[in-house]
Amino acid sequence: MVWAKVLLSAVESALLGPSPPEPEKRIELMHALRSSIPSFRSLLSYPAPKASDRAQVQSKEVRLPDAPPISLDDQDVQIALKLSDDLNLNEINCVSLLVSANQEWGLSEREPLEIYHLTAGLWYSERRDAIASLFSLLQAVVLDQRLEADLLVEIQGHLEDLFNSGLRQRLITLIKELNRDEPAGLGGPTAERYVLDYKGALVEREAVVCRERAGLGHCLFLSSLIVRMSPRDVKDVFSILKDCAVEAISNEPTLKLQVIFSLLFSLVITFISDALSALPNKNSVLASNISFRHEFQELVSGDLAYISLCLELICSNNVFQFLLDRILQTAAYQNDDEDMIYIYNAYMHKLMMCFLSHPLARDKVKQMKDKAMSALSPYLTASSDQFGDNDSNLQQSLQTKTQPFVSLLQLVSEIYQREPELLSGNEVLWTFVNFAGEDHTNIQTLVAFLRMLGTLACSEEGASKVYELLQGKTFHTIGWNTLFDCLTIYEQKFKQALQSTGTMLLDFQEGDAIVLVAYLAVLQKVMENGNHMERKKWFPDIEPLFKLLSYENVPPYLKGAMRNAIASFIHVSPMFKDTIWSFLEQYDLPVVVGPNSMQQLSTQVYDMQFELNEIEARTEKYPSTISFLNLVNALITEERDVSDGGRRFVGIFRFVYDHVFGPFPQRAYADPSEKWQLVIACLQHFKMILSMYDVKDEDIKIVVDQSQTQTVSQAVPFEMQLPVLELLKDFMSGKTVFRNIMGILLSGVNAIIYDRTTQTYGQLLEKAVNLSLDIIILVLERDLYVADFWRPLYQPVDIILSQDHNQIVVLLEFVRYEILPQIQLCSVKIMSILSSRMVGLVQLLLKSNASKYLIMDYASCLESRSEESQIIEKTKDDVGVLIIQLLMDNISRPAPNITHLLLKFDVDTLVERTVLQPKYHYQLLYELCCDPLTGGPMIDLLSTRKYRFFCQHLDTIGIAPLPKRNNNQVLRISSLHQRAWLLKLLALELHVSDMGVSSHREACSSILTELFSSLQVLALLEVVQFRIPDTSMKCSQLKADLKCDLRVEEILRNSETSEKGGVYYYSERGDRLIDLASFRDRLWQVLNPVGNSINPDIQMGDLREPIQQILRWGWKYNKNLEEEVAQLHMLTAWSQIVEVSVSRRLLLLEDRSQILYEVLDASLTASASPDCSLKMATMLSQVALTCMAKLQDERFLCPGGINSDNVTYLDVILGRQLPNGACHSILLKLLTAIQRNESSEFLRRRYYYWFLIAFLTKDALQGNEAGKAVSLHVLDTLISIDQERDFLNQLQSRGFVTSCLKDISSFSYQDGWYSLDSLQRVCTLEAKIALLLRICHNYGKIGCQILFSMGALEHLASCRVVGLRMKSFRRNDSKAARDLYMEFDKHQLVTPVLRLVFGLTSLVDSSDLLEVKNKIVREVIDFVKGHQSLFDQILREDVFQADDLTLEQISLVVSILTKVWPYEENDNFGFVQELFAKMCALFPLEDDSSGLSKAKQRNSELAMCRLRLNLCSYLYILVTKKSLRLQVQIQDINELSRQEVDEIINMFVRQDCVSSFDNIRKRRYIAMVEMCRMAGNRDQLITLLLHLAERAIYILLVHFQERLLKN
C-alpha cells in the first residue's frame, strides 16, 4: 500500500497547508489521486490466506513480485504465519510486510514479539494512511478550505465517481466487518492483542480497529454531503445503526459511540437534504420513491403511517431528552473531531429549524407547552443538606419525568451554545423564543426558558436581543426587574429578621433560588458578550447582587451564581472593578481582603471557611467556593499596583492554600467536573501570584532571618507572609501544593489522554494539567535564585523531584500529549531546565525504561510540527524550535547528555565511538536553514551570541584528527560528512546573513576570524589531503589469487545486471554501491552448469572461499568509494566556504592580501600533491582562480595598498607538475608572468599580445558562457598592464569593444537568476562591464572618450538587467533569498554599471558648457531618468546603516548627480530634495555618528568624506553657477521667544543656571553669554589647532629631510 503513503503526502502538502497549493503540488496531488482510484474502489481489501502460499512460506524460500527469491529462517516463517492467522492476510503479503518492516526499522537482534508488533503496526499504519487520505479529500471538498474552485471541482468529480461506483457500499461493509471478533476485524481469540501504532506506542489492537471504524464512519458521513445516499444505502446504514445501538446499550466506549453518531448523522443529512432539495440541480431521491418510503417506515416504526402519529411517538418518548442525554452531552460527541462536531451541529440546527417551522410541529409544540404549564411544581423548603449544583434536589426529582417541552428548550440551548453564529438572522428561532417566553406558570419551564436565553446571549447580537427582551414588556412576568426586585425583597426580609431579637432567618424558597440562578446566568452571558459600549449603560446599580452573599441561609449554588454574574462586570469598565471591591468588603463573607483593608470581622463566625467545610462539604458540591475563587482571581489579575508583593491578599492565599487546595484530594465530589473546576481556580490563583509578583532581595533575607530564629515547627506570622515566597518554600520543601500538583500529574500522560477523550470533564482535567506544568516552570525559573540563601532548609525543585524518579519521568512524558500543544511546550521547557541541572538525567531515563518512548515522542513531535507548514511568529512558543534549541543547548554538556539520547547516540558506551548519521545532525540543521519557511528563524537562532554555534563547533570537530581507516572506516566516513555539513552551515551563514543585523555581523566576523586569522582554513584543507585506496572496478589482482574465473568484471559491467534492481543500489547521497546480497546471488547463478560459466572440474565447495573473498573485496570497494565521496563532500564544503568568504565577506578581515596569498599557495600546493585526484584538483583550481581574481580586485580597488608588481607565480608553476585541472587555474598568473620585463624581450611580448588577443577575443565572443567569462577576465588583466595602448588598439581594430556594447544592450532577461544558465549569462555580462570599466580606469579620459563615442551610455541605458533589482523577486521568496539576490545584484550588476557611468562623467569637466549641454550631460541625464527608481531607491538608503557596498552605491549616485543634475532645468524627480536630505544627515549641528561602532566609523570614514565632498561640490555648483542662495537668517536674541531661548540654553547644557521661575530677560542674557563664549572658544581652538598642525608637520619634515640627506 505504497499508494496510500504517497497520496497522503500529496494531500497534506497540497490541501492542508496555510496557503493554496503551488502548480507543481496540484499536479502531484491529481496524479496521485488518479493513480489511487483503483485502490480506493477496493479500499482495505487484501488477498486472503492461500494453502499454496502457506506451503511456499513453510519451505523457507519465497519469491516476491518483481524481486529475487528470499530465504527465510524459522523465526521469519513463524512470524509470517502468525501475521497471516491474526490478520486474515495472505502469507506472501505477510513476508512482504516483514521485508518492509526490516527496511523501515531493521529487525536484526530484535525479539520475535517486537518484530510482530512492528510489522503489524506497519500494516495498520498503511491502512490509516488510506483512510486519512480519503477523509482529507472529503474534508477539503465539504469545508472548502480556501482552495481554488477548479481544484475542488476536480477533486469532487473524482470522489463522486468513486461513490457512484460503490465506494460507499465498501465503507458500510467495512464498518460492519471490522466490528466482528474475527481475524479480519477485531481479532480472533488467539490473536495477539497489541500492536505498535503510527507513533511507535504499544496499543491494543481493538483500539486501533475502533479508530479505523471511526475514521470510516467520518468518511461515510462526509460522503453523504457530496453524493446523496441511494435507498439501498439508507437501509444498510440504518441496519448497521440499529446493530451498533443495541451493542452500545451495555457498552459505550467513546470510539464506538462516535461510529454510531457518524451513522446517525449520515441519515439526518440524507433526509434533510432530500426533504429540502438542497441541491438545485437535483430532485428529491427518497421522498419520491414510494416503495422506499413504505419499507423504511416499516423498519423505523412498524404500523405508524402518519406524521401526526410519529410526532406523538416522538413527544411521548421525549426524543429531545434522548438527544441531549445520549448524544449531544456525551463525552464521545464533545471530544469528536472538531470539523465533524461543527457539521453535526449545523445539521442539528437545520433539523430544529425544520421542526419549528412545520405547521404540524408548531401545533405539537404548543400542546407540549400547555401540558408542561399545567404541571405546577411545589415550592419545597430547602435544608442545608439539599443544596445542589444549580438546581438542587428539586430539579433532580423533577427530571425523573422531564416534560418534553422543557427538554425541547434544553435541546435548543445545547445546539446554539456550540455554534452561536447560527443565531444571526434566525427569525424562526426568535419567533419560537417569543412564543416560549409567554405565560409561564411552571418553575421547570421558566428555568429552562431562561437557560435558553442565556445560551442565545453567547454572541454580541444575541446578547443585545436578550437584553432588550427582558428589558421591555415582551413578557409580562419575565424581566430584569423581576431579578433585582426578588434580590432586594429577600435582603430586606433577612435584614428585618436580624434586627428582631430572637427571630430565626427565613428559609430561602428553593423554587425562587433556582429561578434566580437561571436569571443570574442570563445576566452573566449578556454582560460577557454584549457590545462593549452599550453594556456600560445597561445595569448602573449592581449593589443588589452583593447583599445576599453573607447570609448563611442563602443556598451556596445561588451565591455561586451571584458571584459569577458579578465577575462579568469586571471588564466592563475600571469603575466597576473598584465598585466590586468595595461591595465585596461590605457584603461578602470575611475571607475577602480588599485592596484597602486587611481587617477581619471578628464578630462573624459564618465565613468562607465554615461554608466550605461545613455546608458544601456535606453536600459534596462546591459552587460557592468555586465562584468565590474565580471572582477574586479575576479582580486580583486586574490590579496594577504590585509594590506590596501581594501582602494585602495573603488572607485569600492562605484560604486557598490551607482550606481549598490542601485537602482537595481527600474531599468527596458529587460531580467530578466540580472537582476540577475547584482545582483550576486554585491553580489559577497560584499561577497568578507567581506571574505577578517578583522576589526581592530584602524579602529573601527576611526568610533567612526567620529560619535562623525559629524552629521548623514554628509558623511565620500571618502578617509577615508573602504569597510568592510561601509558594516557593512549599515547592522547595515538597509540601502541600507540590504534592497535590504532582498527584494530578502522576496519573500519567496516557491516563490523562484517555480521560480527556472519554469523560465529560476531560477538558477541565486538561486545563488543570496545563496550569500545573505552568506553575512548575514558574517555580523552576526562580528557585535557584533563592536556594543559595535558603539552603539547607529549602532545596531546588530538581532535587525535590529527584527523590522520586517517577516524578521526573511523568513530567517529561507530557511531550506525548498532542491534543494541546501548550502542554507539549511545557514539557519541553521542563526538559530544558532539568537537563541543564541534572548531570545524571540520561541515566535516570535509561534506568526507568522511559528513554525509548521519549525518543519516539520527541521525533513524532518534531515530525508533526514540520508537517504543519506554518510560519513561526513567536519562536519561544513553538515546540519545534524549542526542541532544536534543547538539542543545541545540551551538545556541549558532559556526555552522555540529552542531545546524545534524543539523537540516538550510543549512550550506553562511549559517545565518541557512535557511528553518526549526518542526515539527522548537521544536515538536519542545514536543511532547516535552507528551507524557505524555517531558514530565517533557524539562521537567526544559530547566529545569536548566546550559543556561538558556528565557532564552537568549528573548534570541537572541525580540525580534529580523522579516525584511522584500518580501525574504524565507518566512523571516518561519517566524520568527514559531519565536517562537510558543518562547513556548509558556515558557508550558508556567510552567504545569506544580513550585515545590517548585529548578531549576524558578529557571527560572520567570528567565523572569518576563526577560519582565516588563525589559519584554521589551512588546517581544514589538510584534513582532506590523503590518498584514497583504489576505487576502480578492476579486480585483476584478486582474480590472480583465485583458482577460478567467476567473471566478476563481466557481472559488474553487464548492463542487464548493473541497472536498478541489479547488483547495484544507490545510497541516500546518490552513490552507486554494490548490493552485496544481489552480487552474491549473481555469482552463484554463474555456477549453473548449463551456462558453462566455470570450469566443471571445480567442486561447488571449493568456490565458497573465493566467493567470500570477492564479497570482502566488494565490501571494501563500497567503503573506499564512500570514503572518497565523503572526502570530496568535505572538500566541496571547504571550497564553498572559502569562495563565499573571499567573494562576499573579505572586507570584514584585515591583512586581506596576505590571507589571499596563503590560501592561494595552499590550494596550489594541495593540487600539485601526488595524493590529489583530478576531481580534487578541479575544485582546488577553482578556489585558486577565485583568490587570484580577488587579488586583482584588491589591486584595482586599492591601487596603493598592494605592491602587486613584485609578485610572480613562475616559481610556483615551474617547481611543480600539476594536473591538467590545476594548469587551467593558473593561466591568469602565467599570462601575467610572461609580460614582466625580466621574463622576455619587447618583441616577444608583442608576439604574445597578438597571439593572445586573437585567441581570447575569439573565445570571448564564440565560446560557451564559462569560457567567455574567463576570457574576458584575462583581457581585463591584460588591459590593466597595457601602458602603450597596444591591447586597446587591437580590441578596437577587431571591433571587440563595439561587440561588447551591443551584447550589453541586447541582454535578454528570461528567468532572472533562478537557473544556472541565467547565472552564467549574468556573470558574462558582469565580465563585459568590468572590461569596459577597466578601459575607463586604465586609459583615463581617452578611454572614456572612446567608449562615449561608441554610444556606451545608450547601450547601458538599453540594458534591461539594470532594472532587474526592482522586479525580479518572487512573492514567496524568503527574506534570506531576497537578501541573497539583492547582494548579488549590488555586487555583480548595479555597482559596476554605476562605476562605468561615473567614469564617463569625467568628460564633463573637460568640455565647454555648450558642448556639455548638447551631448555628454544630456545622455547621462537621460540615463538617470531612465533608471529613476534605481537612483531613488539608492538615495533613500540610510548612510549610517548601510554596508560598504551600499555606501559605495550612494557615493556613486551622488557623484553622478553632482556632475550633471545642476544642468537639468526641471526637477520633477525629487533628486534635489534627496540630495539636500543627505546634506542634512551628513552635516548635522552635532555629530550623530556616536551610535556607530568604532570599526564602522573607521571603515566608512573614507566613503563618508567622499560623499560629503560630492555633496559640497554639488552645493558649490548651485551657488556659483546657478545663483542659489541659502536661507540664512540671523535674528536678534531679543526677538526670540522663550521656547527658542530655552532651546539655546538646553543646547549648551546650562539648565543649572536657570530655574523655571526666571524671567525671559535673564534667560536671554544667559543664552547670549553662552553663544559668545562658544564663539570665542571656537576661534581660539582653530588658532591652536593651526599652530599644532604647523609644529607637527615641521617635526615630520625635519626627519624626512635628514633621512634624504643620509641616503
Side-chain angles (χ1 to χ4, degrees), residues 580-728:
I580 291 171
W581 268 125
S582 62
F583 283 153
L584 284 178
E585 292 179 1
Q586 181 179 354
Y587 294 110
D588 208 342
L589 297 181
V591 166
V592 174
V593 181
N596 302 317
S597 176
M598 281 286 296
Q599 299 177 355
Q600 297 285 338
L601 302 178
S602 59
T603 59
Q604 192 171 7
V605 294
Y606 187 89
D607 56 3
M608 282 301 304
Q609 178 182 345
F610 180 86
E611 186 169 76
L612 168 65
N613 295 325
E614 300 299 330
I615 305 300
E616 291 186 311
R618 194 176 303 169
T619 62
E620 299 179 0
K621 297 183 178 181
Y622 307 89
S624 180
T625 303
I626 293 172
S627 66
F628 169 74
L629 295 182
N630 289 333
L631 177 58
V632 295
N633 285 345
L635 287 168
I636 296 174
T637 302
E638 295 298 312
E639 291 295 322
R640 297 296 176 259
D641 182 10
V642 295
S643 57
D644 69 337
R647 280 191 174 90
R648 52 187 163 157
F649 305 123
V650 69
I652 298 174
F653 169 75
R654 293 310 316 184
F655 170 69
V656 177
Y657 183 96
D658 295 325
H659 300 288
V660 184
F661 193 68
F664 101 84
Q666 288 78 40
R667 294 190 189 277
Y669 301 90
D671 182 5
S673 297
E674 270 200 350
K675 171 184 177 180
W676 296 113
Q677 290 175 15
L678 193 68
V679 170
I680 288 171
C682 296
L683 294 176
Q684 286 176 332
H685 186 76
F686 297 147
K687 181 182 177 181
M688 175 183 63
I689 289 172
L690 291 168
S691 303
M692 287 179 60
Y693 300 106
D694 295 327
V695 179
K696 301 177 181 178
D697 293 341
E698 54 269 25
D699 300 327
I700 298 175
K701 294 178 182 178
I702 292 175
V703 175
V704 175
D705 296 338
Q706 292 171 352
S707 63
Q708 293 174 351
T709 58
Q710 297 175 344
T711 63
V712 178
S713 60
Q714 290 178 321
V716 179
F718 178 82
E719 63 275 3
M720 297 181 63
Q721 293 181 4
L722 278 177
V724 63
L725 294 184
E726 295 301 310
L727 277 176
L728 291 176

Side-chain angles (χ1 to χ4, degrees), residues 1264-1463:
N1264 55 26
E1265 295 297 332
K1268 288 180 181 179
V1270 172
S1271 300
L1272 288 166
H1273 285 303
V1274 175
L1275 288 172
D1276 190 348
T1277 304
L1278 295 176
I1279 291 174
S1280 67
I1281 60 173
D1282 184 23
Q1283 303 298 329
E1284 300 175 4
R1285 298 201 298 272
D1286 290 331
F1287 280 147
L1288 181 60
N1289 295 332
Q1290 287 291 324
L1291 293 177
Q1292 282 184 276
S1293 64
R1294 297 172 183 272
F1296 183 77
V1297 179
T1298 304
S1299 178
C1300 287
L1301 290 171
K1302 290 180 179 179
D1303 290 342
I1304 291 173
S1305 63
S1306 62
F1307 182 85
S1308 62
Y1309 166 73
Q1310 296 177 358
D1311 55 351
W1313 299 322
Y1314 293 88
S1315 67
L1316 181 60
D1317 293 337
S1318 297
L1319 283 172
Q1320 290 179 342
R1321 291 198 301 273
V1322 172
C1323 291
T1324 304
L1325 177 65
E1326 179 219 0
K1328 292 176 181 177
I1329 297 174
L1331 179 65
L1332 300 178
L1333 183 59
R1334 179 69 69 185
I1335 293 175
C1336 284
H1337 181 271
N1338 195 61
Y1339 304 115
K1341 291 185 179 179
I1342 295 176
C1344 293
Q1345 188 63 49
I1346 293 173
L1347 293 179
F1348 182 77
S1349 64
M1350 293 180 176
L1353 280 171
E1354 296 177 358
H1355 288 293
L1356 287 175
S1358 302
C1359 182
R1360 297 180 61 189
V1361 79
V1362 180
L1364 191 60
R1365 167 195 190 108
M1366 305 299 296
K1367 57 190 177 184
S1368 64
F1369 303 143
R1370 295 179 179 175
R1371 180 179 62 183
N1372 58 347
D1373 282 343
S1374 65
K1375 180 180 182 298
R1378 292 196 298 268
D1379 292 345
L1380 166 62
Y1381 301 147
M1382 188 170 291
E1383 289 291 323
F1384 184 88
D1385 179 30
K1386 288 179 185 178
H1387 181 67
Q1388 290 202 327
L1389 295 176
V1390 175
T1391 304
V1393 169
L1394 292 176
R1395 288 174 185 166
L1396 183 55
V1397 175
F1398 173 65
L1400 294 175
T1401 59
S1402 64
L1403 299 174
V1404 174
D1405 298 334
S1406 62
S1407 304
D1408 59 20
L1409 187 59
L1410 182 60
E1411 184 183 1
V1412 163
K1413 287 186 176 179
N1414 290 334
K1415 293 183 180 180
I1416 303 172
V1417 171
R1418 182 52 52 198
E1419 289 193 23
V1420 176
I1421 288 177
D1422 291 340
F1423 178 86
V1424 173
K1425 292 180 178 179
H1427 299 86
Q1428 176 195 355
S1429 60
L1430 176 64
F1431 277 67
D1432 186 70
Q1433 180 177 347
I1434 295 175
L1435 281 175
R1436 292 179 185 273
E1437 294 282 353
D1438 187 352
V1439 295
F1440 298 105
Q1441 301 297 327
D1443 55 19
D1444 296 338
L1445 211 54
T1446 304
L1447 206 57
E1448 182 187 2
Q1449 288 187 346
I1450 297 173
S1451 181
L1452 289 169
V1453 168
V1454 172
S1455 301
I1456 294 170
L1457 293 175
T1458 299
K1459 289 290 186 71
V1460 300
W1461 207 251
Y1463 302 101

Side-chain angles (χ1 to χ4, degrees), residues 6 218 408 815 890 989 1371 1441:
V6 173
H218 290 159
L408 176 62
V815 73
N890 281 275
E989 168 67 10
R1371 180 179 62 183
Q1441 301 297 327

Side-chain angles (χ1 to χ4, degrees), residues 850-1102:
S851 59
K852 176 181 177 182
Y853 297 108
L854 200 62
I855 293 170
M856 293 181 180
D857 294 336
Y858 269 83
S860 175
C861 187
L862 268 180
E863 183 178 3
S864 61
R865 180 62 189 86
S866 65
E867 291 173 354
E868 291 175 5
S869 303
Q870 295 178 356
I871 298 176
I872 302 173
E873 296 180 356
K874 296 181 179 180
T875 55
K876 66 178 182 179
D877 296 330
D878 185 83
V879 177
V881 173
L882 284 185
I883 292 177
I884 295 295
Q885 185 175 343
L886 169 71
L887 297 175
M888 291 190 298
D889 290 344
N890 281 275
I891 284 175
S892 59
R893 290 176 180 148
N897 55 46
I898 288 297
T899 300
H900 300 147
L901 177 69
L902 295 180
L903 294 182
K904 301 195 73 172
F905 282 77
D906 189 357
V907 293
D908 293 324
T909 59
L910 292 177
V911 173
E912 58 268 20
R913 301 296 295 175
T914 304
V915 177
L916 301 178
Q917 298 295 331
K919 178 178 179 181
Y920 302 103
H921 296 80
Y922 293 109
Q923 185 181 359
L924 172 63
L925 297 179
Y926 180 80
E927 291 174 353
L928 287 172
C929 290
C930 292
D931 187 87
L933 290 178
T934 62
M938 279 300 302
I939 292 176
D940 290 342
L941 184 65
L942 296 178
S943 62
T944 53
R945 184 186 305 174
K946 178 180 178 181
Y947 301 110
R948 292 187 68 252
F949 175 84
F950 300 103
C951 291
Q952 183 179 5
H953 289 254
L954 191 62
D955 290 336
T956 53
I957 73 162
I959 58 175
L962 283 174
K964 299 297 183 182
R965 183 183 298 120
N966 53 357
N967 291 337
N968 198 335
Q969 191 176 15
V970 176
L971 184 59
R972 178 185 179 91
I973 296 168
S974 181
S975 180
L976 285 168
H977 282 304
Q978 258 196 101
R979 299 165 205 240
W981 287 118
L982 177 59
L983 293 179
K984 284 186 174 182
L985 268 176
L986 300 179
L988 185 67
E989 168 67 10
L990 292 172
H991 192 57
V992 303
S993 290
D994 184 359
M995 292 295 101
V997 180
S998 59
S999 60
H1000 286 292
R1001 187 176 182 87
E1002 290 176 8
C1004 291
S1005 180
S1006 61
I1007 292 172
L1008 293 171
T1009 302
E1010 195 76 19
L1011 282 173
F1012 294 99
S1013 296
S1014 60
L1015 295 180
Q1016 273 205 25
V1017 66
L1018 304 183
L1020 287 167
L1021 180 58
E1022 292 179 1
V1023 171
V1024 294
Q1025 293 186 47
F1026 56 87
R1027 182 185 292 274
I1028 291 291
D1030 185 21
T1031 55
S1032 65
M1033 283 296 180
K1034 297 179 180 179
C1035 48
S1036 54
Q1037 181 63 36
L1038 178 65
K1039 291 193 298 181
D1041 296 338
L1042 299 177
K1043 298 180 180 179
C1044 62
D1045 179 13
L1046 298 181
R1047 300 182 182 178
V1048 177
E1049 293 183 5
E1050 180 181 344
I1051 295 174
L1052 295 174
R1053 287 185 171 86
N1054 188 352
S1055 60
E1056 294 180 0
T1057 60
S1058 61
E1059 296 299 327
K1060 184 176 181 181
V1063 297
Y1064 293 102
Y1065 75 98
Y1066 289 88
S1067 67
E1068 290 183 346
R1069 288 187 46 81
D1071 309 320
R1072 194 180 76 159
L1073 304 175
I1074 299 176
D1075 186 344
L1076 297 179
S1078 300
F1079 187 37
R1080 178 201 60 199
D1081 296 338
R1082 186 59 182 169
L1083 286 173
W1084 283 107
Q1085 286 177 11
V1086 300
L1087 299 178
N1088 186 354
V1090 179
N1092 296 322
S1093 299
I1094 60 172
N1095 190 338
D1097 296 333
I1098 300 179
Q1099 299 297 322
M1100 297 291 290
D1102 298 333

Side-chain angles (χ1 to χ4, degrees), residues 388-399:
D389 179 4
N390 290 325
D391 302 302
S392 181
N393 290 348
L394 170 65
Q395 188 189 22
Q396 294 179 10
S397 62
L398 293 176
Q399 281 183 345

Side-chain angles (χ1 to χ4, degrees), residues 232-250:
R232 176 192 172 189
D233 295 336
V234 172
K235 289 186 286 186
D236 290 345
V237 170
F238 183 74
S239 175
I240 301 177
L241 177 61
K242 287 198 300 183
D243 295 340
C244 294
V246 171
E247 181 185 3
I249 294 176
S250 57

